[in-house]
């Protein structure tokens, strides 16, 4: 499995650390293999190994305790007449998200898109948070229709934030108001960090080229 991980994960090396993948293999994959789970009928050994390699990368953000709980959940969702067949990769990912959502910085599309020239554009245009939230919900670049919705959401959020900030100043803000404002500020902070990192990387590249 280790030999295949380099080919399957390729450029993910910087996003998903080796220690995390090793922990997944030890606390999750070995536990399930030891419990007797077998690959689905019709799936070849190579395809099954690649799926497990992808899971090792995807789950590398989890700690040992969470991985242990996830392993038990996967056993509960085992398929086949003997309940000993691995559930699909999609099912396992869904179970993992239910236990612990993947950190923002572990979403490749979020970091790559916001770190590109699209990030500064969104920051200047006032829709950086909305772009981040779109990418977090949909692991793909936004299309033209998506962009219109992002801009509409940004305008709506701006109006809503002004109303909530006004209630904060008057001392009439609710707990929901404060939670929404805090969530927006945290998303804005994370998005700006990604944009700044991307900008610094491009500047460094220009310096080396010169």
């Amino acid at each position: 499995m280790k030999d295949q991980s380099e080919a399957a994960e390729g450029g993910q090396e910087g996003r998903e650390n080796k220690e995390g993948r090793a922990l997944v293999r030890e606390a999750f994959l070995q536990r399930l293999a030891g419990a007797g789970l077998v690959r689905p009928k019709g799936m070849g050994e190579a395809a099954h190994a690649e799926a497990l390699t992808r899971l090792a990368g995807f789950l590398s953000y989890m700690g040992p305790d969470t991985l242990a709980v996830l392993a038990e959940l996967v056993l509960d969702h085992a398929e086949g007449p003997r309940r000993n067949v691995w559930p699909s990769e999609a099912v396992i990912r869904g179970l993992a998200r239910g236990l612990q959502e993947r950190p923002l910085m572990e979403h490749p599309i979020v970091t790559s898109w916001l770190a590109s020239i699209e990030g500064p554009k969104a920051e200047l245009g006032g829709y950086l948070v909305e772009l981040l939230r779109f990418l977090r919900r949909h692991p793909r670049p936004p299309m033209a229709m998506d962009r219109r919705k992002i801009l509409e959401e940004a305008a709506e959020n701006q109006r809503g934030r002004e109303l909530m900030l006004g209630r904060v100043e008057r001392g009439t803000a609710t707990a929901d108001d404060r939670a929404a404002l805090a969530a927006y500020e945290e998303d804005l902070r994370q998005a700006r960090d990604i944009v700044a990192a991307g900008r610094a990387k491009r500047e460094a590249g220009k310096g080396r080229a010169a």
Side-chain angles (χ1 to χ4, degrees):
M1 190 183 300
K2 245 180 189 179
D3 293 339
Q4 293 174 344
S5 69
E6 295 299 327
E9 293 172 24
Q12 295 185 23
E13 190 67 27
R15 291 190 296 269
E16 297 158 345
N17 59 74
K18 292 181 179 179
E19 293 81 5
R21 291 197 297 274
L23 180 59
V24 173
R25 293 187 179 98
E26 178 182 345
F28 179 72
L29 298 181
Q30 290 181 17
R31 165 75 179 96
L32 294 173
L37 286 195
V38 298
R39 70 178 186 273
K41 187 177 180 179
M43 175 180 273
E45 288 187 14
H48 183 58
E50 288 176 4
L52 296 185
T53 293
R54 287 192 299 271
L55 281 172
F58 180 83
L59 300 174
S60 62
Y61 67 93
M62 285 187 162
D65 292 342
T66 311
L67 287 169
V69 174
L70 179 61
E72 299 308 312
L73 283 176
V74 170
L75 286 175
D76 289 342
H77 285 76
E79 301 173 352
R82 296 184 180 179
R83 303 299 299 255
N84 67 336
V85 177
W86 277 87
S88 71
E89 185 178 349
V91 167
I92 296 173
R93 289 189 178 214
L95 292 171
R97 291 191 184 98
L99 284 176
Q100 180 185 354
E101 186 57 61
R102 201 177 188 197
L104 175 63
M105 295 300 287
E106 293 290 337
H107 290 262
I109 184 62
V110 175
T111 52
S112 62
W113 194 258
L114 291 184
S116 73
I117 59 173
E118 297 298 328
K121 287 181 183 177
E123 190 171 16
L124 287 173
Y127 58 94
L128 184 58
V129 169
E130 289 72 26
L131 177 59
L132 178 147
R133 290 175 175 177
F134 172 87
L135 294 170
R136 196 161 52 193
R137 292 192 303 266
H138 310 285
R140 60 173 175 77
M143 296 181 289
M145 181 176 66
D146 300 320
R147 290 176 182 272
R148 288 195 295 272
K149 291 182 178 179
I150 288 170
L151 291 174
E152 291 172 0
E153 184 179 349
E156 182 178 343
N157 284 344
Q158 179 59 31
R159 291 191 293 269
R161 288 181 70 249
E162 289 174 357
L163 291 173
M164 287 185 284
L165 288 170
R167 289 196 288 270
V168 169
E169 291 180 0
R170 296 191 299 272
T172 59
T174 66
D176 287 343
D177 288 337
R178 296 182 184 279
L181 289 170
Y184 188 95
E185 290 302 319
E186 177 59 19
D187 283 348
L188 182 60
R189 182 192 66 77
Q190 292 192 56
R192 282 176 170 169
D193 285 348
I194 298 171
V195 171
R199 184 181 293 114
K201 187 175 181 179
R202 286 193 297 275
E203 290 300 323
K206 290 178 183 178
R208 287 193 297 269

